[in-house]
């Protein structure tokens, strides 16, 4: 993600079933690290708050909007 204001909003979302409804609730996701990639870009690392069991699925995506 750019570390300057480019007029875009970046939203991390999660879902456990790809046919389900994506959620961006902060109670489900946590930001664990921001690392500088270059002079203008940072890498954000997120994870689910609750662990995923061995027989379950979880998916994350980033939506970008103006």
């Amino acid at each position: 993600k750019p570390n300057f204001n480019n007029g875009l909003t970046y939203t991390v979302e999660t879902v456990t079933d790809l046919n389900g409804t994506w959620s961006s609730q902060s109670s489900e996701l946590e930001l664990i690290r921001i690392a500088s990639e270059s002079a203008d870009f940072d890498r954000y690392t997120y994870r689910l708050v609750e662990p995923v069991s061995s027989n379950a699925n979880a998916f994350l995506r980033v939506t970008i909007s103006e």
Side-chain angles (χ1 to χ4, degrees), residues 1 4 7 10-11 26 32 41 50-52 54 56 58 61 65:
K1 173 183 170 212
F4 54 88
Y10 300 81
T11 305
S26 60
I32 58 171
F41 292 92
E50 294 294 322
V52 178
S54 61
R61 73 177 181 187
S65 58

Side-chain angles (χ1 to χ4, degrees), residues 36-54:
S36 179
E37 288 293 315
S38 68
D40 295 325
F41 292 92
D42 294 331
R43 177 176 20 133
Y44 286 62
T45 304
Y46 285 84
R47 71 177 175 193
L48 296 172
V49 172
E50 294 294 322
V52 178
S53 67
S54 61

